[in-house]
Each structure stands twice: as C-alpha cells, then as structure tokens.
Amino acid sequence: MSKSSPEKVSKVPVYWSTILLGVVVAAVFLMAIFTYQVQENERALVITIGKISGERGPGLHLRLPLPIQEIVKFDIRQRCFDGNVGNLEETMTADEKNVIVGIYTIYSIKDLSRFKNAAKSLASAEEYLSNRMRTAKGAVVGKYRFDQMINTDPKKMMLSQMEADMYKQIAPDVMERYGIEVAKVGIRTISVPEKISGEIAKRMKTERETAAVRVKQRGNVEAENIKTKANQMKREEITKAEAKAKELMAAGDALAAKHYAVFNQNPELAAFLRKLDSLKRILGTKTTLILDTEATPFDIFKIKVGSLEQDNAPKK
C-alpha cells in the first residue's frame, strides 16, 4: 500500500489595520456616548432620570448615555437686550411732559437650575424681562421732571439716579423668577414727540437768549467796575506825582535861593558867568558863527569904542 501525502493546513490572514481602525472607531463612539465637552463660555446642567443632579464647568466630562442622563448647555455670556415692547411709547414725566425713553439691560444666565425650571426658552425669559423693563421705565420716568432728563446743566441731570431706580425694580424680580442676573440697566435714548419738539426748541432758545443777556449784563457791570478802579488808580498816581513834583520844586527853589544869595553879592559877575555857561553849551564843538553882538550872551564881545579911544589916547 502506498502512503498518502499529508494534507496541507491553510492559514487565515490577519488584517491588523482593519482591527485597529475598528478599535479607534469604537473608542470614538464610546467617547461620544459617555463624554461631553463644555466650552469656556458655557455651563452644563446634568439631568439624571429627569432630575437635576449637578452643574459642570468648562472641560471634558463623563456622562451616562441617554435616556439615563441628559446634558443641557447654557451660554452664560452677557447679553445686551433693548426690550421687545414699549421702545417707542410715550411716557409722561412728573411735570406732565411726554417723552420717549429707550432703555437697555445687560444680563446673563446665573442660576441654571432655576432658569431651566422656569423658562421654556431664552425667548420666553426675554419676553418677561421686556415687560419688566416697560413697567419699571414708566414708573421711574413718572417720578422725574423733564429738565432732569434733558438739560444743558450737568448738575441738574438725574439720569444715573433713574437708571439705579429702574435697576432696583428689574434685577431682583428677574433673578428670583428666572435666575437671570441683570448687571446694568441704562438709558439708551431720550426724545420728544414731534408735535412738541418745536415748542421745546423755542423754549430752549428763549432760555439761551435770557442766559446770554444775563452774561452780557454781568460783563458790563464788571467792565464798569474795572473802569472805576482804573480811574481811581489814575487819580491816585496823578496825586502822588503832583505831590512829588511839588517836593522837587520846593527843594529846587531852596537850592536856587542859596545860589541867588551868592549871586546877589556881585550881580554883574553873576550875569557874566551865566553868559559864559551859555556859550559853553552852545559852542560845544568847533563852530563858525556870525553873531549879533547886541544879543545876549554875545554882547560880551561888543567893544565899547569910547572906552578904547580913551585907553588908546596919547598921554600928555
């Protein structure tokens, strides 16, 4: 009998790349089911079997799959909200003037649990906030006069106080009801109805003209005061100068009297010396003059002919 050859055993190939890909896909799938990501501007509310079980901040967190756990994310960034109703409504002031006041609020979701239980959506919460803004605006504006909202004098403006009053009426109520934190309530616009804007412009023009007249009158009074003071100072200075001049004249007269006393001892010599002084002042440099010897002080050059003839006559 012949021996038969042993059967060859076939080998099954192993595809490791496919297995690795499957593992990666499974891991990603499991991560998608059992983890969730919260962004920096978000907060997440964890609801386990229909009940709120916690809150989570930014980062990667574990979770149980639906329907055991539900993750609800909320954007907690601040929002600026102008209100949905009442922006163009006229509101009466304390002095019975109609104005149109637009306000805004800056808010954010603070209490996630309260917001989730009370608000079906962000739109419903903003609708309630808008109604509260409308009510608070009417109540607060009605307590202030028109000139406390629109005025050229900053000291008379009460806008900051009005914003604070509206904040006190809006913020606590919205926080208690929806868990929304109102950071600020501000006045965005103030205008008047077209039918009375002309009257207001005329009144403001009259006030400005009256103020200009007062300023002009005050300037005239100040100008007169300055002129009066200047004239008084002028008279005082003139009086002082006249007194000083009289003192100098008296001193000069006294000094001249001493010289006159000396001159009186020899009047002819004094006159001669005065004439010489005059000549010195006139002839300060080399000068050629044609003079009238009859005029003083040049009469000293006059030669008396009679006296010369007598002096030159031969003696007997």
Side-chain angles (χ1 to χ4, degrees), residues 37-107:
Q37 179 74 29
V38 180
Q39 302 297 326
E40 186 66 29
N41 62 314
E42 296 178 332
R43 293 293 184 275
L45 196 62
V46 181
I47 302 175
T48 305
I49 314 178
K51 294 183 179 180
I52 298 173
S53 59
E55 296 182 8
R56 299 291 184 270
L60 184 66
H61 304 280
L62 296 174
R63 57 169 292 179
L64 296 176
L66 289 172
I68 299 175
Q69 276 190 344
E70 179 185 3
I71 307 300
V72 181
K73 299 178 183 179
F74 297 93
D75 190 339
I76 61 170
R77 289 177 294 182
Q78 289 187 336
R79 295 176 172 86
C80 184
F81 182 60
D82 293 337
N84 298 324
V85 294
N87 287 339
L88 301 178
E89 291 181 350
E90 296 183 11
T91 306
M92 185 171 291
T93 62
D95 52 352
E96 299 183 352
K97 299 287 180 31
N98 288 334
V99 293
I100 301 174
V101 180
I103 67 173
Y104 67 92
T105 58
I106 297 176
Y107 77 92

Side-chain angles (χ1 to χ4, degrees), residues 105-298:
T105 58
I106 297 176
Y107 77 92
S108 61
I109 301 173
K110 189 70 173 179
D111 191 334
L112 304 184
S113 301
R114 185 173 299 179
F115 183 84
K116 180 68 173 59
N117 293 329
K120 296 180 180 180
S121 63
L122 184 62
S124 63
E126 286 188 343
E127 182 178 359
Y128 180 80
L129 176 60
S130 179
N131 291 328
R132 290 299 305 148
M133 291 167 60
R134 180 184 183 185
T135 303
K137 179 181 67 175
V140 172
V141 172
K143 297 191 303 181
Y144 292 87
R145 300 188 309 274
F146 180 80
D147 61 351
Q148 292 176 319
M149 290 181 280
I150 300 177
N151 204 303
T152 56
D153 187 359
K155 295 181 180 179
K156 296 182 180 180
M157 301 285 282
M158 299 294 292
L159 296 181
S160 298
Q161 185 60 44
M162 293 174 64
E163 292 174 346
D165 293 346
M166 286 187 283
Y167 175 84
K168 292 178 182 178
Q169 294 190 26
I170 296 173
D173 179 69
V174 176
M175 182 64 187
E176 181 179 359
R177 187 178 181 88
Y178 285 100
I180 291 177
E181 181 184 49
V182 177
K184 179 177 176 58
V185 177
I187 296 176
R188 178 171 53 85
T189 58
I190 298 177
S191 59
V192 295
E194 186 176 356
K195 59 184 178 181
I196 63 172
S197 60
E199 297 179 1
I200 294 175
K202 291 180 181 178
R203 182 171 60 82
M204 294 180 68
K205 181 179 179 180
T206 303
E207 291 178 354
R208 293 293 89 200
E209 290 176 350
T210 303
V213 171
R214 288 198 298 266
V215 172
K216 186 176 180 180
Q217 291 176 348
R218 187 163 57 248
N220 292 334
V221 172
E222 292 179 358
E224 291 298 327
N225 292 335
I226 293 173
K227 290 180 181 179
T228 301
K229 292 180 180 179
N231 291 330
Q232 183 178 358
M233 292 176 62
K234 176 183 176 182
R235 289 192 296 269
E236 291 177 355
E237 292 299 324
I238 291 175
T239 302
K240 292 179 181 179
E242 291 176 348
K244 185 66 175 178
K246 290 179 179 179
E247 291 179 2
L248 294 175
M249 290 177 65
D253 292 340
L255 184 60
K258 295 180 181 179
H259 291 286
Y260 291 153
V262 175
F263 289 157
N264 288 332
Q265 297 177 4
N266 193 339
E268 294 179 356
L269 178 60
F272 181 76
L273 293 176
R274 291 292 298 274
K275 292 176 181 180
L276 287 179
D277 291 337
S278 299
L279 286 174
K280 289 180 181 180
R281 287 192 295 268
I282 294 172
L283 303 176
T285 58
K286 295 181 178 180
T287 308
T288 301
L289 298 175
I290 300 174
L291 305 173
D292 184 5
T293 56
E294 297 295 334
T296 304
F298 306 110

